[in-house]
Amino acid sequence: MSTNVILLGPPGAGKGTQAKTLAEQTSLSHVASGDLFRAALRDGTELGMLAKSYMERGELVPDEVVINMILEHIQAPDCAAGVIFDGFPRTREQAVALEESMAQHQSKIDVVLYLSVPNDVLLRRIAGRQTCKTCGATYNTYYFPCHRPGICDACGGKLYQRSDDSHETAQHRLDVYFAQTMPLIEYYQRQGILHEIDGQREIVWVNEMMLKALDQYLPTSV
Ligand code: AMP
């Protein structure tokens, strides 16, 4: 039996940071739709080209494209123990498609961890976000700055800002989240699998709450 978890929350809630840590602590595989699109863009694939204009505008890539990409990706052997979904699903259509596909494979979503963060904090979190080109470590110029500007503390690599993290695009991504993704909170609440966690608290505290919520679903304790 696999364990499948969705990290739900607005852009800037800390889903990526938390998902990475959870994946290291468990046997679950971290599947981030945004990362898959960025990798496709870097590799210059057809999928990357298709997603590019949507991403640059802070719009959602069409459901059909995202659904096909994710459902294919989770068939890989490294997803057999289960998946931490990060950034997917983002619409009701995506949620339904995921559910149907999992049911076909005698699987299901066990828990949805909803990271709630007040709106005013989100913009600073997104617009201040910096990522290391070499090791992928993330920083924030407001909340978690690196010691030498633009240089990764962990590996000395160069830091960059995602092109869709500019102030204007960030605001639009938040608007898109409120309109299209927020209804999923109620959707999963009705299924009785939503678990809300205060995403404003420290990273370590949030991680502990997540592990607690997952405890009964994980095959081996961490
Ligand atoms: P993220 O890294 O999750 O913030 O995603 C970056 C961008 O990739 C989003 O603004 C969308 O353009 C696209 N994207 C990622 N995941 C999805 C999804 N589940 N549905 C539609 N578009 C997505």
Side-chain angles (χ1 to χ4, degrees):
M1 270 298 277
S2 62
T3 303
N4 297 290
V5 187
I6 291 172
L7 294 198
L8 188 63
K15 299 188 298 294
T17 306
Q18 292 295 340
K20 255 181 236 158
T21 308
L22 274 183
E24 283 163 14
Q25 293 168 322
T26 64
S27 53
L28 308 183
S29 186
H30 176 199
V31 174
S33 43
D35 287 351
L36 292 176
F37 282 132
R38 280 183 286 279
L41 203 61
R42 268 196 307 274
D43 297 346
T45 67
E46 208 174 304
L47 176 70
M49 292 303 146
L50 204 158
K52 189 172 188 270
S53 66
Y54 295 98
M55 295 175 77
E56 281 173 353
R57 283 177 285 133
E59 298 282 347
L60 294 188
V61 176
D63 281 335
E64 195 192 312
V65 176
V66 191
I67 290 167
N68 287 339
M69 173 181 79
I70 293 289
L71 295 189
E72 191 190 320
H73 189 87
I74 61 176
Q75 297 314 314
D78 65 346
C79 292
V83 171
I84 302 162
F85 291 97
D86 163 10
F88 180 90
R90 261 174 156 99
T91 64
R92 195 175 195 282
E93 288 69 24
Q94 294 178 19
V96 171
L98 178 63
E99 222 162 275
E100 287 174 357
S101 165
M102 294 216 130
Q104 279 169 16
H105 294 90
Q106 285 74 50
S107 193
K108 64 176 170 48
I109 298 297
D110 297 286
V111 198
V112 178
L113 301 173
Y114 165 46
L115 273 177
S116 59
V117 178
N119 301 350
D120 53 331
V121 178
L122 290 171
L123 254 189
R124 288 184 128 201
R125 279 205 182 174
I126 304 174
R129 186 152 66 182
Q130 292 182 313
T131 309
C132 174
K133 260 186 182 159
T134 312
C135 73
T138 49
Y139 300 87
N140 188 289
T141 50
Y142 298 106
Y143 298 112
F144 179 48
C146 48
H147 290 103
R148 286 174 297 161
I151 307 288
C152 177
D153 289 345
C155 78
K158 248 187 158 172
L159 303 183
Y160 71 97
Q161 185 187 41
R162 270 170 51 173
S163 59
D164 60 348
D165 277 349
S166 70
H167 201 275
E168 205 178 46
T169 314
Q171 181 59 61
H172 187 59
R173 285 165 61 211
L174 284 174
D175 294 342
V176 168
Y177 168 80
F178 294 125
Q180 305 198 51
T181 308
M182 245 177 63
L184 290 183
I185 296 170
E186 203 189 323
Y187 179 82
Y188 288 119
Q189 214 159 26
R190 262 193 260 120
Q191 294 187 12
I193 56 172
L194 190 87
H195 194 104
E196 181 169 351
I197 295 173
D198 182 355
Q200 240 194 315
R201 299 283 301 266
E202 318 78 72
I203 291 175
V204 174
W205 183 90
V206 173
N207 171 250
E208 278 169 14
M209 290 302 114
M210 288 190 162
L211 285 174
K212 218 184 239 181
L214 289 182
D215 191 46
Q216 60 175 304
Y217 303 101
L218 295 172
T220 46
S221 106
V222 289

